[in-house]
Structures are given as C-alpha cells and as structure tokens.
Amino acid sequence: MITPVLPTYARAPLSFVEGEGPWLMTEDATRYLDMGAGIAVAALGHSHPRLIEALETQGRRLWHTSNLYEIPNQTKLAEMLVERTFADTVFFTNSGTEATEAAVKMARKYHHAKETGRDEIITFNGSFHGRTLGMISAAGAEKLTKGFGPLLPGFVHVPFGDHDALHAAINDRTAAIMIEPVQGEGGILPVPDQCLQGLRKLCDEQGILLIYDEIQCGMGRTGKLFAHEWSGATPDIMAVAKGIGGGFPLGACLATEEAAIGMTAGTHGTTYGGNPLACAVGCAVMEVMAEDGFMEHVSRVSGHLRQGLDSLVARFPDVFELVRGSGLMIGVKCVVPNGEVVAAGYDHKLLTVPGGDNVIRILPPLIVTTQDVDEALRRLEAAATDLSGRAA
Ligand SMILES: *Cc1c(COP(=O)(O)O)cnc(C)c1O
C-alpha cells in the first residue's frame, strides 16, 4: 500500500525532533552524533544561535515579497558573495538543482548572445547535479534517468579523469564543461588541482565556459569558502546550495559579468528564490564563516579526523579500504557494503551518509570540535568491531 508520503526515499527508521550543534535528538531523547549534517547542509550545526536569531528577527518583520521588488537581504548576500569570490553577479534559487539549471541556461544564453553556435555541455561520469529532467540528463547515470525519458539533449558525458576522452569530446558545438571540484554523491572524488588548472586553460583556449558545481564541496566544506580556491582555477559560472542556507532552503548561481551577458531582464526567474527569510539566514551563515579562524578550524579538525580514520582503516582492513577527500568532506571506501556500515553506525548512535563507489561520507557540521571527532571515531570503531566480528 502506498504511504502518504511518496515512497521515493529509502529512509532509515529514525526521526529527530531537536538538534544542538553536531547532535540530533529523537522523541525519547536519545542523542545521535551527526556526521552527515543533513547531507552537508547544516554547515554550522543544528540550532546555531546566530541563525536562529536571523530567522526569528526576519520572521517577525517580513517573509515574502517576490522578485517583483528589491529584496535588501538578497542584495546584501549577493554583495558578500561577490566580494569573496570570482563572481560579479548572483542569481538566487531554492535548491541545488535550480542553481545548476540556472548555470546551464546561462552558459547556453551566453553563446546565444555571442552567436557562437555552441550549445553542448560536457559533464563527467559519476557526477550529480540534481534531479530536474535537465540535471538528470546532465549527469546521465542510468540510476537517475531510467524510465524518465525522453531526456534533454545537448549533454556529452565523458569518463571522470580521462583527459583524452575529454579532449576528444570537445568540438565547435561545446558551450561549457560542468564539473564538481570534489564529486560528492559519486563517492567523494576530488579533482586534482592541476586538472582544474588544465580545464581552465583548455576552456580559455577554446572559448568554452567552465561551470563548477560546488553545491556539496563549497561553503567552507574543504577548509576554503569554495573548494576550487585550493587550485586557483576559477570558473565562469558556479552553482552553490546546501551549506549556504545552513538548513534553510537556498541556492545560488554565481557568475562573472561576461558569462552572465545573456541573462537580461525577463530571461529567467523564480517566485521564491532569494526570499527575505532565506537570505537573512544566508547572510548570517556568510558572516559566521567570514570570522577569523573559521576556515583554520575546519582544516585543523579535518586533519585530526583524517588521522583517526586512517588509523581505523589500518586496524579494520576487512571493513574499510581507504580514506579520501578534502577538509570535512571525507569518503571512507568500504570493503563490506556501505549500507551495512551506515546501519552499524546507527546502532552506536552515529550518523554517516552512504555515497557512490561503496563509500560512507563523513560530512560533519563545520563547527565540530576535536572532542566531537574523537567521539565519532570511537563510535565508528565500535561499528567496525561489530562488522569485523561478524565477517570473521
Ligand atoms: C545535492 C547536490 C545537488 C542537488 O541539490 P538539491 O538541493 O538536492 O537540488 C546538485 N549537485 C551536487 C554536487 C549536490 O551535492
């Protein structure tokens, strides 16, 4: 029998009613240590006082007016993003997939305005850009697209990390290359800095726009505001979401003035995108992340976590294979099915997130302390002990 909520999610039998920092509480007050942060969304943890304050204050003043009018919080958040990134301009959305959609539309419109005849977008196997028809067509994986055809044409898929295939795929129809600097859903696969630099050079030489999808790896996750900053290779267009709202639905498509040249009044829009509530919270997230020491904290804690995970992998070779990732965006590739590791974590009140390539993703709130990380490592060790014992 169908459930009142459409059964598209394979949900864990858990539900939470309260949160505090990296902790989530069930109705019966059981505390779970949240190393998933609602899939890299609750970047400042749960119930952050600054975010509560921002939402409550705006909630009492004004919720929604629409993009028919100026929205002061939206302008303020755009200014903060422009000031701290490659971008000159920002379009706000409610979700990640709307941000990648806007990015692709913008790239096509750019080439239309320039009359280049280019309209194809190159993407990579294992990528994830969201669930609209456009973005499942963009990623192309069968598990996303099966039964939903006909798909949107104009996307060319190349194997991740295959330089020859990428060069072979480029032709005079290529409008843009879209890539996650760290593949998230695909299993936490970082693109090496020199590859991003190579992509930037290639795009410049060929008149192709470079689009980054930093929906998962952005907003401080890797220890810089955006993951590509480690490489110095900036994009023309970038999709952002997840952490930017700290739990309030918000996304953004950032662009250079040049890349945005086709996006004139009336060409694109959204009713809710960048509304006063969302942008009040977004501004507060940006302010907290801009504080002295925030990114240094992420790097310090991530080093500690990484060390602990490396040691766990060494001690449980029948459960874990390897650790990879960047900052607090870490994938642990498992030997046993990753779903079993996530479930064993639940037994020890630890939340992690499964990902592609049989990894468990560790995406804690960026405010976790080394003590929180030690606690998470103890719980993951207990989970691994259960699984290791059973396999023997
Ligand atoms: C989560 C995610 C999306 C989709 O975001 P939604 O808010 O679920 O639409 C797109 N790209 C990447 C890299 C993501 O991690």
Side-chain angles (χ1 to χ4, degrees), residues 292-360:
D292 271 354
F294 186 92
M295 296 300 164
E296 290 76 7
H297 170 84
V298 172
S299 290
R300 192 169 56 248
V301 176
S302 85
H304 188 73
L305 173 61
R306 189 66 181 252
Q307 243 177 9
L309 288 172
D310 283 335
S311 146
L312 270 188
V313 169
R315 278 182 290 139
F316 294 93
D318 59 338
V319 179
F320 303 124
E321 187 179 327
L322 54 84
V323 186
R324 65 188 176 215
S326 173
L328 290 175
M329 183 173 186
I330 294 186
V332 183
K333 191 167 154 76
C334 301
V335 176
V336 299
N338 58 352
E340 292 181 18
V341 180
V342 172
Y346 296 153
D347 292 341
H348 295 278
K349 313 290 180 270
L350 174 74
L351 306 180
T352 61
V353 183
D357 196 34
N358 206 38
V359 308
I360 60 162

Side-chain angles (χ1 to χ4, degrees), residues 95-98 100 128-130 180 185 213 215-216 241-242:
S95 67
T97 195
E98 291 168 274
T100 44
F128 181 77
H129 300 298
E180 297 160 77
E185 303 299 309
D213 179 345
I215 290 170
Q216 193 161 148
K242 293 204 163 89

Side-chain angles (χ1 to χ4, degrees), residues 200-277:
R200 179 67 273 173
K201 191 157 167 281
L202 182 69
C203 287
D204 287 342
E205 286 164 1
Q206 309 260 347
I208 296 168
L209 295 176
L210 182 57
I211 303 173
Y212 288 158
D213 179 345
E214 289 229 20
I215 290 170
Q216 193 161 148
C217 62
M219 295 308 294
R221 188 61 35 206
T222 68
K224 293 219 184 264
L225 188 58
F226 292 104
H228 72 266
E229 291 173 25
W230 293 105
S231 73
T234 57
D236 301 291
I237 305 173
M238 179 168 74
V240 181
K242 293 204 163 89
I244 194 174
F248 199 97
L250 177 64
C253 177
L254 282 63
T256 62
E257 181 174 9
E258 172 74 4
I261 205 158
M263 303 303 276
T264 51
T267 54
H268 192 50
T270 154
T271 300
Y272 291 121
N275 99 346
L277 289 170

Side-chain angles (χ1 to χ4, degrees), residues 346-391:
Y346 296 153
D347 292 341
H348 295 278
K349 313 290 180 270
L350 174 74
L351 306 180
T352 61
V353 183
D357 196 34
N358 206 38
V359 308
I360 60 162
R361 281 180 281 174
I362 301 184
L363 308 161
L366 305 181
I367 48 85
V368 282
T369 61
T370 51
Q371 289 90 324
D372 297 328
V373 162
D374 285 335
E375 185 57 39
L377 288 166
R378 272 194 290 275
R379 292 174 187 221
L380 190 59
E381 176 169 0
T385 304
D386 292 352
L387 293 166
S388 181
R390 209 191 45 193

